[in-house]
Amino acid sequence: MAQKTIAANGTTEIEIYYDLDQITVIFDANDGSGNTDSQTFFFGVSQKLKANHFTRENYFFDGWIEIQHNASVQYSDGTYMSLVYPHGTVITLYAKWVCGVSVTNNTISDMDLSSLADECIVRVTGEINQSSLVSLAAKIKNAKKNITLDLSKATGLEAIASTSDSK
């Protein structure tokens, strides 16, 4: 790099080069299986968090957890993160698993609830129609388990109507 004398009138232009601090994020399957490669972040630069590629039988993925100082911070797949840790910091994000299954309108007909634990969650994601929801309700009833139906990630439902007049 060439040296320059700074002009008294302030017109001297200088270029400054520096390396951004790198932070490594490691993804832990947390009793799951598969592989999600580590990801490099740069100090203060917002970047999309890598998507999960882990699986765990009879569980569904519910985000990433960073555990520090006896508290946990949770991140969703694809969240934009801006990390401000010193150069060389390694952070481990653990897969958060929920006992149960995540289903879509297209997977309800093939779903088998027999292998699930006695207490679990069935989470519906994406758009679902009335007939698929009725089919799902019948499967849950026939499973004879304490299953919680989670519709918080479902779309397309305006109202749930009764399919019979029986009480």
Side-chain angles (χ1 to χ4, degrees), residues 104-151:
T104 65
N105 196 59
N106 296 329
T107 61
I108 290 172
S109 62
D110 297 328
M111 183 180 63
D112 178 16
L113 300 175
S114 64
S115 62
L116 293 179
D118 286 337
E119 293 202 21
C120 60
I121 295 174
V122 171
R123 176 180 284 172
V124 178
T125 60
E127 188 154 337
I128 185 169
N129 61 44
Q130 179 75 24
S131 72
S132 293
L133 189 57
V134 169
S135 173
L136 176 58
K139 285 181 177 244
I140 290 172
K141 180 181 176 186
N142 292 335
K144 297 183 179 6
K145 297 177 185 225
N146 186 11
I147 296 175
T148 300
L149 179 59
D150 177 358
L151 296 173

Side-chain angles (χ1 to χ4, degrees), residues 56 58-60 97-101 116-122:
R56 185 172 175 192
N58 297 323
Y59 287 80
F60 62 88
W97 300 107
V98 175
C99 179
V101 64
L116 293 179
D118 286 337
E119 293 202 21
C120 60
I121 295 174
V122 171

Side-chain angles (χ1 to χ4, degrees), residues 43 68 87 121 146 153:
F43 185 93
Q68 44 176 276
H87 178 71
I121 295 174
N146 186 11
K153 306 281 186 195

Side-chain angles (χ1 to χ4, degrees), residues 4 6 15 18 26-27 30 34 40 45 47 52 56 59 62 76 90-91 103 116 121-122 129 132 138 140 148 154 159:
K4 292 184 179 184
I6 305 220
E15 295 177 355
Y18 60 94
I26 296 173
F27 299 94
N30 194 18
T40 300
V45 177
Q47 186 173 322
N52 171 52
R56 185 172 175 192
Y59 287 80
D62 195 35
S76 300
V90 177
I91 298 169
V103 297
L116 293 179
I121 295 174
V122 171
N129 61 44
S132 293
I140 290 172
T148 300

Side-chain angles (χ1 to χ4, degrees), residues 25 27 36-41 47-53 61 64 76-79 81 93:
V25 175
F27 299 94
T36 299
D37 293 332
S38 64
Q39 184 174 3
T40 300
F41 282 80
Q47 186 173 322
K48 191 174 184 177
L49 187 62
K50 204 175 260 194
N52 171 52
H53 293 286
F61 177 76
W64 299 105
S76 300
D77 254 0
T79 297
M81 297 175 63
L93 295 182

